[in-house]
Amino acid sequence: MQLEPMDRSTPVLAMTLVEKVIARAAGRAAVRPGEIVTAGVDFAFAHDSSGPRRWRPYLEQLGVGIWDPSKVALVSDHYVPAVDAESAAILSDARAFAREYGVSAFFDMVGICHLVLPEHGLIRPGAFIAGGDSHTPMAGAFGTYAAGYGATDMAAIVATGETWLSVPQTVRVEWSGAFQPGVVAKDVMLFLCRELGLDNAFAAIEYGGAAVDAMNMPERMVLANMAAELGFETGVVAPDRITFDYLAAQGRPVDDEAVALALRSDLDCTYRAVHRFDATSLAPQIARPHAPDNVTDADALGDVAIDQAYIGACVGAKLGDLRMAAEVLQGRKVAPGVRLLVAPASSATTEQAAREGILTTLLEAGAILLPSGCGACAGMGAGLLAAGEVCISSTNRNFRGRMGHVDAKVYLGSPYSVAAAAVAGRIVDPRPMLARPGVAA
Amino acid sequence: MTGIPKPGRAFVFGDNIDTDVLAPGSLMKLSPEALATHCLKAIDPTFAGAVRPGDVLVAGANFGLGSSREQAAVSLKILGIQAVLATSFARIFWRNAINLGLPALVFPQAGEIASGDRLALDAASGLIENLTQNRRYVISPLPEHLLQMIADGGLIPHLQRRFQGTAA
């Protein structure tokens, strides 16, 4: 993908960031919401569950290979590590597919696709990205159009390099001020689930304001990731110095910062709506069973005792999330009768957490370390729940039956809230546990 | 479309039917046919056993929210569901259904349908007829390129025709 400097010699229609990305991918000077266009895909990816085993029969039926293997990545993160012959076969097939179809960007059991791809600098500002997973919008934190697709759509995309879409309207959400200590991007998203509901299909969400500008990339990734929970097809943050520094740190700096900085909504663009919130007044948020919009302030929840606390998934087990957990767990123990499971989102996360002493803090508190992968969040890995059990989880979804038995109850919260619940044995506002002068995190 | 399909019985559900109840993640290693027998089990244990080919699934808002897993739509197709009518759909489910040749139609009056009503519908013209209540509705039809895709049997057969140069 080559981003071209915008031609200013002729007046162009004012567009949102999302419209700009789509227009370029569609080879158009401008697009308007509601237009049906065909977009060229800059980057496509899938995982072991949604990719090779679904694509292969379709590609064979069509008699074609992958349109451009250099623009496709595969990440084995769902059935990892194999626990039986069936999951071993799925992983084996993914390896064979990557080899046969020439996909060199193949990441085998090193973490969850939505984190592994940015860790390798593969998410480029301005790109049109198609992913075979509903949390693909996480890449929108880098100023991309990134949407999730089912297996048939993805097979068609890797066969042709293009897909159709109806240009979405953009909703802008602005957060002014600064968040209190102990309030993080996960609380923002649970709050937005409550405010905006889950039924926002065929629209995009754009985040901005001083409190978003101040977030690091992993926190912005949480905003973009959970655009999926809100039902938006993509969620974006305009690229800035923080974006460029992150990409440079991965050894893949942007080609031209001035061009990338133009990836922002025009001042006179048209939004479907603009919502403004004050970051200073936001409290830690908890989603009750069985939907991410069943949300309340943590201190208004009432008494909920837990059996399990789970720190995992693309959204909730990045390095920053493990640091949050360690900040709470430093010098404390997991409550008797409670199990705290930690599945770091990538191998790089585990490595760095080990270097920083975070793993030691977690393990001394009584945490059980699990492999990196989608794990129990996808209902596949270790950490599933029995009937009647109660879990608080740093993941993004709590639909009935998602993490095990249909009669299990899953609450969602930030890594702070999950760690605090593990210590207290019940769900609590984590902030009192953070106010500890003299204890280094 | 080749003629108007035969009427089917309505199975009515509420808002926010998610992909975890349509196709539980913990069962995704099962064959598609076996997985389909668990479709909607968490909220209606009798559904998969009671539904017959040609029946129609009617629901409220945001049908199919959650995962991108296509098995949610595949399960409904295996069970013989003729079409899904809902007041709104989650985007990925909606695309998945149409890609598989399963019409997913936005039907603002879905709340007027009762379980067991006999429905006749024609996705191409947007005509829905409730034979039990003797009411007719006309909804916005799908865009032309999607009707063509459904007529071809779904996205892959549609692409196959394109690659073979036999379709527009």
Side-chain angles (χ1 to χ4, degrees):
Chain A
M1 178 193 66
Q2 188 65 47
L3 290 179
E4 299 293 341
M6 202 166 271
D7 178 7
R8 293 291 180 192
S9 58
T10 51
V12 290
L13 191 68
M15 289 187 285
T16 68
L17 165 53
V18 168
E19 289 157 9
K20 288 182 185 183
V21 174
I22 293 170
R24 187 202 49 77
R28 301 265 296 268
V31 292
R32 288 178 187 276
E35 277 187 276
I36 291 178
V37 298
T38 298
V41 173
D42 298 304
F43 183 60
F45 70 91
H47 48 66
D48 50 318
S49 184
S50 69
R53 65 183 180 141
R54 309 284 176 210
W55 295 354
R56 186 194 292 274
Y58 286 145
L59 293 175
E60 287 175 355
Q61 187 181 341
L62 293 171
V64 298
I66 288 178
W67 104 98
D68 185 348
S70 73
K71 292 181 174 174
V72 175
L74 291 169
V75 183
S76 284
D77 58 12
H78 269 61
Y79 288 103
V80 301
V83 293
D84 53 24
E86 289 83 3
S87 47
I90 290 167
L91 295 172
S92 170
D93 183 49
R95 292 180 195 112
F97 181 96
R99 203 167 48 241
E100 290 165 30
Y101 284 81
V103 179
S104 55
F106 174 50
F107 302 96
D108 194 6
M109 308 209 304
V110 293
I112 304 171
C113 55
H114 308 299
L115 183 61
V116 167
L117 299 174
E119 277 177 354
H120 287 81
L122 291 169
I123 304 301
R124 314 300 295 168
F128 188 104
I129 297 175
D133 189 89
S134 63
H135 288 110
T136 301
M138 184 147 142
F142 293 81
T144 70
Y145 174 94
Y149 295 84
T152 302
D153 252 336
M154 283 307 301
I157 286 167
V158 299
T160 65
E162 61 184 38
T163 192
W164 74 272
L165 73 156
S166 171
V167 177
Q169 288 187 308
T170 302
V171 172
R172 181 170 168 89
V173 172
E174 284 185 18
W175 286 86
S176 59
F179 298 105
Q180 292 176 34
V183 178
V184 293
K186 180 60 174 289
D187 299 304
V188 170
M189 290 316 296
L190 293 176
F191 174 81
L192 289 179
C193 285
R194 165 161 64 159
E195 288 293 312
L196 305 181
L198 309 182
D199 189 7
N200 295 289
F202 306 99
I205 186 169
E206 171 184 299
Y207 303 95
V212 173
D213 293 344
M215 284 182 178
N216 61 24
M217 287 311 297
E219 283 287 276
R220 293 178 185 181
M221 288 185 213
V222 173
L223 304 184
N225 177 296
M226 287 188 65
E229 271 48 63
L230 295 164
F232 289 105
E233 62 191 68
T234 196
V236 296
V237 179
D240 62 6
R241 171 56 44 201
I242 290 171
T243 320
F244 304 150
D245 288 349
Y246 179 97
L247 289 168
Q250 316 309 317
R252 293 285 314 277
V254 293
D255 301 327
D256 185 335
E257 289 187 2
V259 171
L261 276 174
L263 288 166
R264 54 190 55 247
S265 294
D266 294 323
L267 289 175
D268 49 349
C269 72
T270 304
Y271 292 112
R272 189 173 81 181
V274 179
H275 301 278
R276 294 187 173 87
F277 301 103
D278 174 19
T280 316
S281 62
L282 186 68
Q285 304 288 299
I286 301 289
R288 293 166 291 209
H290 294 284
D293 62 342
N294 191 11
V295 169
T296 177
D297 286 5
D299 59 9
L301 180 66
D303 189 41
V304 177
I306 62 162
D307 301 291
Q308 176 169 304
Y310 185 84
I311 291 176
C314 45
V315 78
K318 300 173 270 57
L319 182 63
D321 303 317
L322 269 51
R323 284 182 184 142
M324 291 177 209
E327 203 179 325
V328 170
L329 292 166
Q330 176 77 44
R332 295 195 171 106
K333 293 284 184 196
V334 173
V338 170
R339 51 193 191 262
L340 169 61
L341 309 180
V342 180
S346 70
S347 304
T349 301
T350 312
E351 266 183 60
Q352 185 59 25
R355 274 190 219 107
E356 293 183 15
I358 291 170
L359 287 189
T360 306
T361 300
L362 301 179
L363 295 172
E364 283 178 355
I368 298 160
L369 194 60
L370 298 179
S372 290
C374 303
C377 179
M380 291 167 174
L384 296 181
L385 301 161
E389 285 192 323
V390 177
C391 176
I392 181 168
S393 176
S394 70
T395 56
N396 36 29
R397 284 189 183 139
N398 59 344
F399 297 127
R400 191 183 282 279
R402 180 170 176 83
M403 280 182 73
H405 198 278
V406 294
D407 292 327
K409 292 191 171 76
V410 178
Y411 292 75
L412 304 177
S414 75
Y416 281 132
S417 294
V418 174
V423 169
R426 49 211 345 100
I427 300 175
V428 294
D429 185 329
R431 286 175 295 182
M433 290 200 198
L434 298 173
R436 288 192 296 174
V439 178
Chain B
M1 310 290 286
T2 52
I4 295 176
K6 287 180 181 165
R9 298 173 302 162
F11 283 73
V12 179
F13 291 87
D15 295 339
N16 294 314
I17 301 301
D18 63 73
T19 54
D20 284 296
V21 300
L22 288 162
S26 55
L27 303 174
M28 297 264 286
K29 282 182 294 191
L30 296 177
S31 70
E33 291 73 20
L35 182 62
T37 67
H38 297 273
C39 184
L40 292 166
K41 199 177 195 174
I43 51 174
D44 179 1
T46 66
F47 171 75
V51 74
R52 288 198 298 267
D55 287 342
V56 178
L57 202 152
V58 181
N62 207 15
F63 186 88
L65 78 160
S67 161
S68 66
R69 64 184 67 143
E70 200 158 74
Q71 291 87 338
V74 170
S75 291
L76 294 175
K77 202 164 159 70
I78 286 173
L79 293 172
I81 291 292
Q82 176 187 150
V84 183
L85 310 177
T87 56
S88 64
F89 288 91
R91 170 184 156 276
I92 301 178
F93 175 87
W94 183 78
R95 288 184 68 118
N96 285 346
I98 288 168
N99 286 340
L100 294 168
L102 171 66
L105 306 174
V106 174
F107 180 38
Q109 296 91 355
E112 295 176 10
I113 307 296
S115 271
D117 282 359
R118 285 172 58 75
L119 303 180
L121 55 99
D122 178 30
S125 65
L127 182 69
I128 296 173
E129 198 168 358
N130 187 331
L131 302 173
T132 306
Q133 298 186 19
N134 199 20
R135 287 194 204 180
R136 291 161 71 94
Y137 306 88
V138 179
I139 60 168
S140 308
L142 293 168
E144 185 56 39
H145 76 291
L146 296 183
L147 286 172
Q148 186 60 51
M149 188 192 293
I150 291 175
D152 285 345
L155 174 56
I156 296 299
H158 181 68
L159 268 186
Q160 205 160 13
R161 287 168 65 104
R162 190 176 114 184
F163 282 152
Q164 290 164 357
T166 56

